[in-house]
Amino acid sequence: MTTSADILAAARERAHAHALPYAGALTPQEAYALLQNDANVKLVDVRTNAERDWIGRPDIAPEQHLAVQWNLYPGGAQNADFLSQLSQVTGKDNVLLFLCRGAVRSKHTAKVATENGYAHSYDILEGFEGEKDADGHRKNVNGWCHAGLPWTGA
């Protein structure tokens, strides 16, 4: 069994190898294992409320699933209150795993969080739905859903 310390060490090594501006990068499987191993680890879902409602969300303990939109729906404007809202749901000492649809917004949010004192900010690689397949559909190539990790929704 891989320990939380081993998983975080691998994530930090990815950060070092790729000069990432945050603590590290995790596969969806590693992120899920961390969440299962440590109730203090928090997943920060940075997708819009509409995405979570219409597409689905990770099926994890409610106290570990934080929702702070990076962009707002409709319109897609950046959420000017992102950092304020993040500070309302978690502390700067928590291990935070940032998740979005395809691992673009999560990289940005992990970077911004790190720059603002959240030293244990990690990106979840591949995102919730992953990359598009040849037909333009998600959930078929990679990501949380494709990995067979628990989720609820559409």
Side-chain angles (χ1 to χ4, degrees):
M1 178 180 189
T2 303
T3 68
S4 293
D6 292 336
I7 294 169
L8 291 172
R12 286 189 299 272
E13 178 53 37
R14 285 185 197 108
H16 178 74
H18 299 284
L20 302 176
Y22 39 83
L26 300 154
T27 67
Q29 297 89 336
E30 290 168 337
Y32 183 69
L34 276 177
L35 291 159
Q36 295 301 296
N37 292 344
D38 187 346
N40 293 316
V41 172
K42 309 295 183 193
L43 184 146
V44 183
D45 195 330
V46 300
R47 297 174 300 147
T48 65
N49 293 336
E51 286 175 289
R52 282 189 301 282
D53 290 346
W54 298 338
I55 296 166
R57 65 186 74 211
D59 190 9
I60 59 174
E63 60 275 7
Q64 289 181 285
H65 186 245
L66 310 177
V68 184
Q69 300 176 102
W70 179 247
N71 296 99
L72 302 174
Y73 178 85
Q78 189 168 344
N79 180 4
D81 295 323
F82 176 79
L83 286 169
S84 171
Q85 292 170 0
L86 184 63
S87 72
Q88 292 171 19
V89 296
T90 190
K92 292 188 175 184
D93 292 331
N94 286 101
V95 172
L96 304 177
L97 315 180
F98 290 89
L99 177 74
C100 67
R101 180 183 63 199
V104 174
R105 288 172 283 179
S106 58
K107 288 172 178 39
H108 294 300
T109 54
K111 178 181 184 288
V112 167
T114 299
E115 291 169 348
N116 285 276
Y118 295 88
H120 310 289
S121 295
Y122 294 82
D123 171 41
I124 299 178
L125 300 165
E126 304 170 12
F128 182 70
E129 294 182 88
E131 298 172 73
K132 291 180 182 178
D133 64 17
D135 296 320
H137 301 125
R138 295 186 186 270
K139 297 184 182 172
N140 297 320
V141 175
N142 57 18
W144 184 282
C145 297
H146 184 261
L149 300 172
W151 63 281
T152 60

